[in-house]
Amino acid sequence: MANSADTHCPYCALQCAMTLTPAAGPVPVALSTPAAPLDVQGRDFPTNRGGLCRKGWTSASLLNHGGRITEPLLKGPDGVHRPIGWDQALDLAAQAVRDARARHGADAVGVFGGGGLTNEKAYMLGKFARLALGTSRIDYNGRFCMSSAAAAGMRAFGVDRGLPFPVEALDTASTILMLGSNVAETMPPFVQHLKGARDAGGLIVVDPRRSATAAFTADGAGLHLQPLPGTDLTLLLGLSHVVIHENLVDTAYVQERTSGYSAVVRSVNAFWPERVQSITGVPAELVRQTARMLAAGARAGGSYILTGRGVEQHVDGTDTATAAINLSLLLGLPGTARSGYGTLTGQGNGQGGREHGQKADQLPGYRKITDPAARAHVAAVWGVPEDLIPGPGLPAVQLLKSLGKSDGVQCLFVHASNIAVAAPDANAVIHGLRSLDFLVVCDFFLSETAAEANLILPVLQWAEEDGTLTNLEGRVLRRRRAVSPPAGARSELWIMARLAERLDAPSTYSEDPETVFEELRRASAGGPADYSGIDYAMLDRGEAAYWPYPAGSTGTPRLFTGRFAHPDGKARLVPVAPRRRRTPDANPGPAAKAMTLITGRLLEHYQSGAQTRRVAELLAAQPEATVQLHPAAAHAMGIGDGTLVSVVNSRGEVVCRAELSTAIRPETVFLPFHFPGAESANRLTEAATDPVSGMPEFKFNTVWVRPVAAPDSARMLQTTEAS
């Protein structure tokens, strides 16, 4: 049964508004997917203004996809998953928890969540892990996405909200500096908010590739800075050097609203433009021009600095985001009426998903789990003694490294994440999954991670449930049910409630989203991410709700207008410096050439591709991974367009076809991370992490590239089966 519903797209954090209505008739026979039960129309909303990308337009086609899991599946001794009943499935999961705790202790049970869960499910997952399972071992895939920007925002501003201003504020800016984000492909409706800066000639894009977003700077619309991978921090230090030494600093703002200026001045003294050019490859004059444009924009229509994963997914990602924040503070941008700094959240609920308890070190409301006052507040809401709440656990990479180890996680629950494809050093992650005593995966498709599970629990898709999400601007939105789910699928809220009963867990676990949200409101009250003044009724009326939204307030569309969130009300300028990179792997053979690998997204696919690779139109447009190479580098290696190529390092190998393009630097290769098996880019990425945020090194990995006459069929089969 289908109903009309106003809701939001299930994919990225732009959370484009859409209206779902019962489908009027069948889709053309030529499409391989069944007719979608719902028609999708874009809805006028500040973020997308009626527009959708092709992922959004096709999102309803997955609701009745033939590959949908509709009943619990148990893996037998022969490795085949077979249907079982819900009671048996829940009994098995509960017994696996009891066994792991009895043999190894409470922290032998782990939970891995996701930024696609609603606020209600993310909140309940944190509570379920800590009280029902009794474990500290919970983290989520947002650690791979927003953690560096979040850590930088917390130490500079005292709070982390991706965009501390409504996205519409960008419309009137005369200058926008965008670092490490290809929004033209990752969230296409966003580009309309860049029009004002483009028309003013003030769009500045920093990317080693001439991406679709960088191409918007052509014909006088702005600048494209194309640094060597891994040198963004040096580039930002150079920009701050110019701002300081050309007297472009907003002195009054810095004196009144920041601390730490002198230390930052000393830290950038060694990064004059010519030296920055020698390290980054960006011409010194472009460094100067960029700094001057930002300063002029701040005095005119407004300047904004935006960062994305390209500069954050590094072992120095927190410092790089901090350098971008320092630059914005020197120019006097954050907290003003027409300028600002922000970071572009990636996953659909990447913002809300990191606020309410999925992270290893946090409690609801973005509270620190080590803060005695925070623990006491949440314990009171949950109705349990404070000492029943475990302390901090392990961030995602360390959690995954512990799988199957003698002192690590032995029983793992995975929600809304496909870690077999999306996690760094994916071969090691798959080995860890196979080393577990018991793996439970909640999913609606047989993802590569679900394929490894002992037990798969079928859950609801986005249009089958109610709830809330928080978009990239910190605005809380309503998700509304439009279609009935398959009879055998269940909400994660229902699953957690039933398991909590079997485990005799303390506190309460409702399966009703609104009831859970009411508890979330109380748990978040007084915290940095305070939702206590928000309820379903106001969201259903269409009221804008930007957190923090304490009870009795009207919310906070623009943060920091009067003060920052530190006790003294001032932002922190924090000196940072580049760190030495690891020595690359040894050459695997004389025919191979060392290159720097960067990874990223394609227009047609999302995250690990577990959903978009099942949409016929999207898969037809991008059916396989290709490695992008510069023609000059390819020619030197005897590689032509479409040549089969081996990309290898000590962690693994990818075999795919070459795509030659002058849009990439000659010493760099690009791989999308949406594909599994022999095309899985994360077989090559390193599980080294940022010491502050726990972010893995996704964007700077040494690989060796060489042509292969034909794939080694035995090796390809082994690699594919390992996925």
Side-chain angles (χ1 to χ4, degrees), residues 338-577:
R338 298 187 303 169
S339 297
Y341 163 84
T343 184
L344 299 175
T345 304
Q347 296 185 78
N349 198 31
Q351 181 69 61
R354 67 182 184 269
E355 295 168 359
H356 298 302
Q358 283 193 97
K359 289 182 74 174
D361 57 352
Q362 287 184 355
L363 290 172
Y366 226 138
R367 289 181 160 91
K368 292 183 181 297
I369 202 167
T370 54
D371 177 3
R375 294 173 62 85
H377 172 85
V378 173
V381 173
W382 289 351
V384 300
E386 182 262 316
D387 60 5
L388 206 60
I389 301 175
L394 298 175
V397 171
Q398 282 66 40
L399 177 63
L400 295 177
K401 284 183 177 179
S402 81
L403 300 183
K405 302 290 178 59
S406 59
D407 59 347
V409 169
Q410 308 297 329
C411 173
L412 180 69
F413 289 76
V414 178
H415 296 256
S417 188
N418 188 14
I419 50 179
V421 176
D425 197 2
N427 284 330
V429 170
I430 293 168
H431 175 75
L433 294 174
R434 292 174 178 174
S435 301
L436 292 167
D437 291 339
F438 206 79
L439 172 61
V440 182
V441 174
C442 293
D443 211 329
F444 34 79
F445 292 122
L446 188 67
S447 69
E448 287 72 23
T449 305
E452 301 293 337
N454 300 93
L455 180 64
I456 306 171
L457 302 180
V459 294
L460 307 186
Q461 290 198 61
W462 60 289
E464 300 164 352
E465 64 180 3
D466 282 294
T468 63
L469 301 100
T470 307
N471 76 350
L472 79 175
E473 16 165 48
R475 179 170 176 164
V476 183
L477 308 169
R478 272 282 275 128
R479 171 174 284 180
R480 296 180 179 87
R481 175 170 163 159
V483 66
S484 298
R490 299 286 187 272
S491 167
E492 282 98 336
L493 294 178
W494 182 90
I495 292 169
M496 286 184 274
R498 301 291 82 77
L499 284 173
E501 291 172 355
R502 284 166 166 79
L503 294 168
D504 298 319
S507 195
T508 59
Y509 303 83
S510 175
E511 62 190 80
D512 174 61
E514 187 170 5
T515 301
V516 174
F517 189 80
E518 289 299 306
E519 184 177 308
L520 182 159
R521 291 175 62 194
R522 293 188 289 117
S524 72
D530 189 334
Y531 283 31
S532 61
I534 305 171
D535 59 33
Y536 273 31
M538 64 177 291
L539 297 177
D540 287 339
R541 291 192 298 269
E543 296 180 28
Y546 296 87
W547 72 259
Y549 204 124
S553 76
T554 57
T556 316
R558 186 177 278 268
L559 284 168
F560 315 136
T561 55
R563 56 182 285 118
F564 293 97
H566 290 297
D568 62 1
K570 292 187 175 185
R572 305 287 189 259
L573 284 156
V574 180
V576 292

Side-chain angles (χ1 to χ4, degrees), residues 158-359:
V159 71
D160 154 48
R161 197 179 89 187
L163 294 185
F165 48 81
V167 71
E168 287 181 297
L170 298 170
D171 295 347
T172 58
S174 60
T175 309
I176 296 175
L177 172 62
M178 182 170 291
L179 301 113
S181 182
N182 183 16
V183 290
E185 294 199 68
T186 59
M187 48 179 71
F190 184 94
V191 299
Q192 62 192 305
H193 299 292
L194 306 178
K195 184 178 185 301
R198 291 178 64 198
D199 290 346
L203 178 61
I204 308 165
V205 176
V206 177
D207 199 312
R209 297 192 302 146
R210 188 161 183 80
S211 65
T213 306
F216 282 137
T217 65
D219 301 322
L223 303 174
H224 175 208
L225 279 56
Q226 201 167 0
L228 283 161
T231 64
D232 304 289
L233 176 52
T234 297
L235 175 62
L236 285 161
L237 295 174
L239 291 170
S240 290
H241 182 283
V242 174
V243 168
I244 292 168
H245 289 272
E246 293 194 4
N247 298 316
L248 302 176
V249 174
D250 187 331
T251 306
Y253 176 99
V254 167
Q255 290 177 345
E256 294 170 10
R257 304 207 60 189
T258 74
S259 64
Y261 175 71
S262 297
V264 165
V265 171
R266 291 191 296 271
S267 72
V268 303
N269 276 339
F271 295 94
W272 59 92
E274 284 73 19
R275 182 174 182 231
V276 169
Q277 175 179 319
S278 70
I279 297 170
T280 68
V282 176
E285 192 49 43
L286 278 185
V287 177
R288 294 188 175 94
Q289 186 179 354
T290 297
R292 294 165 185 164
M293 287 171 64
L294 286 167
R299 295 189 296 267
S303 282
Y304 286 86
I305 296 175
L306 305 176
T307 63
R309 304 302 81 75
V311 299
E312 298 161 5
Q313 288 179 325
H314 294 281
V315 292
D316 60 0
T318 301
D319 286 350
T320 304
T322 296
I325 293 172
N326 287 344
L327 176 61
S328 72
L329 291 170
L330 293 172
L331 293 165
L333 309 184
T336 59
R338 298 187 303 169
S339 297
Y341 163 84
T343 184
L344 299 175
T345 304
Q347 296 185 78
N349 198 31
Q351 181 69 61
R354 67 182 184 269
E355 295 168 359
H356 298 302
Q358 283 193 97
K359 289 182 74 174

